[in-house]
Structure formats: structure tokens, C-alpha cells
């Protein structure tokens, strides 16, 4: 009999508050464009990703759908499910959000899927072999060592994350399916960086370090040993916190469309990006969307200046023009100084 392997509880992770919030914000609002977590090994990056997926409650999906379509969301359903829903010929099953791993060696066909051209020509029907993006729809797509992926594959991932769909075109035949997922990339900067053009495409970036506080480091050790010794008992100790956080996330998802903002905040965001020399407009848009998601997470109907300040810390560090010998810590200090001056 296969043993049930327990996932470490998300709320039991010690410290790393910025990383945890960045992941939560992207689950609430996948249109943020994902999060890149940069840091040394052993800083709970993959643990946090899998723990967050495990934390979330089961959700409805159309039975046997390769894209895990939501029967109540026809705007983001595949063509097959739309037909079933229209004719009321579908069954609903309950499933958990999954973490879909993308290997560094993945080819374009493995990622986007393939079309059977011969079948299309002979039968006049499109036959699609699902790829990783199909599995990732409504799930978390996790790319460890994303900086080692082929640039073209990274481009495809980021395009799909931004658009929420994947389109395959072969020999004049095309097929489109929903690909709305939470993209999480992790990397160790010592093993090489992403090109600035690709770095800019990630909505949020978080730099993580091992805990420097002795008390926190001791707590990390104790909790891990307790978990490995008796995972069921350990989980029970965090049941209430897990349930509370899962409820908060679900309420934020439902509340997000109702969050509003004053146009003055848009002007502040534009001034921040201009003052920091950020190219293009993606940062401005993502900053506002992140601020709105932060407000929703806290159950507030209107975005505040504090939300914008917090959002800037996630959206801007990887988009600032680097000077020689700059590092991320310098950038973070620059951001806080300029943001505080402009926002007040």
C-alpha cells in the first residue's frame, strides 16, 4: 500500500514573508504574470510552492477535461467543454490545485503540445496532444532553475502567463486552449541570470536569503524535525492557521473584481517608474494590479498609498536600470527611498 506523503504546511514556514505573500498574490490574481524567486539553495522556495497548492481547497472541474476547465467559467473554458456546458452534457468532479513541474530540458513541443497534421488533413478534425501548458491551466506551473531554460521556451511561458491562452500553429492549422496558470520560477543567481528582456516579463520578483536570526534558524530546525517525526500531529497543530489563510485567499479571489482606486494613485505610479528610470509601461500596469490584489487580500475595497508602496517593492527591483556594481539590495534601498518621497 502506497504511503500518503504529507506536504509541509504553508503556515508553518518560518520567515520568508515576502516570498509567501508574492505566491499568495499570484494565486489570487494569476494575471500578475507570475513570480520569480531568486535565492540560494535551502531557503524553502520549492517547499513554499507545493505547500501553497496543498493549502487551497478542492475546486470544481469538468470531468475528463485535459484543461481542468471550470464549469461555471465559460469565458475561460476550452471548446469541448463549451459544447458540453451548452448542451448540459457534463459531469463535475472535485480536484485540488496541482503543481506542474517543467523540466529544464523541456522542448517547445513538450511545452505547447502538438497537432496531428495527418489526421487533420485526412479527417478534417483537429487532434491535439496536450503539452505542459494544457496541464498547467488553473494550476501552478513551477520552473526550477528557470535561468537555465532555453530563452525561446521562457518566452512561450511568459506569453501564455500574460495572455491566459496557448495557441499552436502548424502547417496553416491552429488550435487554441486556455492556459491560465500561476507561474513560479526559481533560480540561484550564482548560476547565471535571465536576460533583462525576460526578467521584465515576470510580474513580481523576490530575493530570498537564509534566516540570519538565531532564534528563527532554531525554529526552522525544530519544525522540520517535528514534521518528519510525526507529520499528522504536526499538521494538526497548524490546521486552524491553514484554514484561515485558505478562506482569506478564496474571499480575496471573489472580492478582487470589486476593488477600486483613485486616479491620483496612477499618477503616483507613473512618477515612481519615471524617477527610477524604468523602461516601458509593463511595470506601471503590474504595480497597479499588484496593489489592487494586496487590497483584496486585506479585504479592502479601495487601494491605498501603502498598497502601492508595498507593490513597488515586488514589481520594480528587477526592472531598474542597473549601474556597474549594483546589486538587488542597493536597488531595494533606492526604491524605498524614492517611493517614500513620492508617495509620502
Amino acid at each position: 500500500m502506497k504511503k500518503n506523503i504529507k506536504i509541509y504546511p504553508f503556515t508553518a514556514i518560518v520567515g520568508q514573508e515576502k516570498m509567501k505573500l508574492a505566491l499568495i498574490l499570484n494565486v489570487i490574481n494569476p494575471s500578475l504574470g507570475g513570480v520569480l524567486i531568486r535565492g540560494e539553495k535551502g531557503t524553502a522556495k520549492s517547499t513554499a510552492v507545493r505547500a501553497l497548492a496543498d493549502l487551497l481547497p478542492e475546486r470544481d472541474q469538468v470531468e475528463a477535461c485535459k484543461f481542468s476547465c471550470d464549469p461555471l467559467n465559460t469565458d475561460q473554458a476550452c471548446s469541448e467543454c463549451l459544447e458540453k456546458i451548452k448542451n448540459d452534457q457534463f459531469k463535475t468532479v472535485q480536484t485540488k490545485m496541482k503543481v506542474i513541474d517543467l523540466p529544464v530540458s523541456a522542448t517547445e513541443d513538450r511545452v505547447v503540445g502538438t497537432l496531428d497534421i495527418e489526421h487533420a488533413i485526412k479527417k478534417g478534425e483537429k487532434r491535439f496532444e496536450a503539452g505542459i501548458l494544457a496541464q498547467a491551466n488553473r494550476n501552478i506551473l513551477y520552473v526550477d532553475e528557470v535561468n537555465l531554460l532555453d530563452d525561446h521556451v521562457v518566452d512561450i511561458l511568459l506569453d501564455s502567463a500574460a495572455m491566459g491562452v496557448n495557441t499552436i500553429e502548424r502547417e496553416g492549422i491552429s488550435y487554441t486552449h486556455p492556459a491560465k496558470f500561476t507561474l513560479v520560477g526559481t533560480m540561484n543567481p550564482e548560476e547565471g541570470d535571465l536576460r533583462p528582456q525576460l526578467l521584465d516579463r515576470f510580474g513580481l520578483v523576490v530575493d530570498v536569503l537564509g534566516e540570519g536570526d538565531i532564534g528563527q534558524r532554531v525554529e526552522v530546525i525544530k519544525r522540520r524535525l517535528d514534521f518528519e517525526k510525526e507529520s499528522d500531529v504536526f499538521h494538526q497543530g497548524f490546521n486552524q492557521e491553514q484554514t484561515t489563510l485558505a478562506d482569506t485567499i478564496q474571499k480575496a479571489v471573489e472580492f478582487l473584481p470589486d476593488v477600486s482606486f483613485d486616479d491620483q494613485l496612477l499618477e503616483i505610479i507613473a512618477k515612481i517608474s519615471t524617477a527610477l528610470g524604468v523602461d516601458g509601461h509593463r511595470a506601471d500596469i503590474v504595480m497597479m494590479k499588484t496593489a489592487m490584489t494586496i487590497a483584496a487580500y486585506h479585504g479592502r475595497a479601495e487601494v491605498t498609498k501603502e498598497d502601492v508602496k508595498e507593490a513597488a517593492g515586488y514589481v520594480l527591483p528587477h526592472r531598474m536600470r542597473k549601474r556597474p556594481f549594483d546589486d538587488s539590495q542597493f536597488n531595494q534601498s533606492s526604491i524605498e527611498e524614492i517611493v517614500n518621497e513620492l508617495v509620502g
Side-chain angles (χ1 to χ4, degrees):
M1 183 177 175
K2 190 176 178 180
K3 187 179 179 182
N4 181 28
I5 300 173
K6 289 279 187 179
I7 303 293
Y8 195 84
F10 188 80
T11 55
I13 296 171
V14 177
Q16 308 297 4
E17 299 304 327
K18 283 199 70 172
M19 175 178 71
K20 289 189 285 189
L21 182 59
L23 290 169
I24 288 169
L25 294 177
N26 271 276
V27 166
I28 294 170
N29 187 1
S31 74
L32 293 182
V35 56
L36 175 64
I37 305 171
R38 302 185 294 198
E40 57 203 26
K41 295 184 183 300
T43 45
K45 298 190 293 291
S46 62
T47 297
V49 175
R50 299 182 196 288
L52 181 58
D54 187 63
L55 164 83
L56 301 173
E58 291 188 334
R59 74 277 172 90
D60 289 341
Q61 79 166 60
V62 176
E63 187 179 39
C65 175
K66 65 184 75 171
F67 310 110
S68 309
C69 285
D70 180 352
L72 298 179
N73 189 354
T74 54
D75 289 342
Q76 291 169 8
C78 68
S79 55
E80 291 89 343
C81 285
L82 278 175
E83 192 66 26
K84 289 179 182 177
I85 293 168
K86 180 182 175 183
N87 297 315
D88 198 22
Q89 295 178 336
F90 69 94
K91 290 183 180 178
T92 300
V93 293
Q94 293 262 304
T95 61
K96 291 275 286 183
M97 179 178 276
K98 302 172 189 171
V99 176
I100 307 299
D101 290 285
L102 190 149
V104 172
S105 59
T107 61
E108 179 180 348
D109 282 350
R110 178 74 185 91
V111 173
V112 303
T114 57
L115 282 170
D116 188 334
I117 303 300
E118 187 177 345
H119 181 83
I121 293 171
K122 286 183 177 179
K123 304 285 187 180
E125 300 171 345
K126 295 177 184 178
R127 179 185 286 172
F128 172 66
E129 292 293 328
I132 290 173
L133 290 180
Q135 300 170 41
N137 188 48
R138 298 184 70 210
N139 291 308
I140 295 174
L141 181 57
Y142 179 62
V143 191
D144 193 18
E145 298 183 317
V146 65
N147 50 323
L148 304 183
L149 264 185
D150 181 85
D151 283 351
H152 180 58
V153 173
V154 178
D155 265 330
I156 292 169
L157 293 180
L158 294 169
D159 279 339
S160 294
M163 302 297 293
V165 296
N166 175 41
T167 300
I168 306 96
E169 294 184 351
R170 299 287 185 274
E171 308 294 335
I173 299 170
S174 66
Y175 182 87
T176 299
H177 70 77
K180 193 176 180 67
F181 52 84
T182 299
L183 177 64
V184 180
T186 61
M187 59 176 277
N188 184 345
E190 293 177 359
E191 297 171 353
D193 211 341
L194 284 173
R195 287 192 292 114
Q197 296 92 328
L198 295 178
L199 201 54
D200 175 60
R201 300 287 295 282
F202 272 96
L204 314 184
V205 166
V206 178
D207 291 300
V208 295
L209 297 169
E211 287 295 335
D213 180 79
I214 297 299
Q216 292 282 78
R217 291 182 77 98
V218 169
E219 190 62 24
V220 170
I221 301 168
K222 285 175 61 179
R223 289 190 184 186
R224 190 70 211 186
L225 293 178
D226 287 346
F227 170 73
E228 291 179 3
K229 182 180 179 181
E230 191 61 73
S231 63
D232 286 333
V233 174
F234 188 79
H235 263 269
Q236 288 170 15
F238 289 90
N239 274 348
Q240 186 56 55
E241 290 178 54
Q242 292 278 99
T243 301
T244 300
L245 180 57
D247 289 345
T248 300
I249 291 171
Q250 186 54 44
K251 287 175 183 174
V253 171
E254 297 167 2
F255 192 51
L256 181 59
D258 298 323
V259 174
S260 62
F261 55 84
D262 191 293
D263 283 353
Q264 181 193 10
L265 293 180
L266 298 179
E267 187 175 334
I268 289 173
I269 286 172
K271 286 179 178 178
I272 291 171
S273 293
T274 302
L276 289 167
V278 176
D279 295 325
H281 303 285
R282 184 178 284 116
D284 302 29
I285 296 166
V286 177
M287 208 186 316
M288 189 69 253
K289 289 166 75 173
T290 303
M292 293 172 71
T293 310
I294 291 170
Y297 177 60
H298 292 294
R300 285 187 270 99
E302 193 162 348
V303 179
T304 66
K305 289 181 179 180
E306 290 303 314
D307 296 329
V308 171
K309 277 187 186 181
E310 190 170 1
Y314 290 100
V315 174
L316 296 175
H318 59 301
R319 293 187 167 97
M320 289 174 62
R321 293 176 192 156
K322 281 197 174 183
R323 299 169 187 167
F325 312 114
D326 272 3
D327 59 25
S328 58
Q329 192 62 44
F330 177 87
N331 286 344
Q332 190 67 48
S333 300
S334 302
I335 290 166
E336 289 174 3
E337 186 180 324
I338 291 172
V339 168
N340 284 332
E341 185 181 324
L342 290 171
V343 178

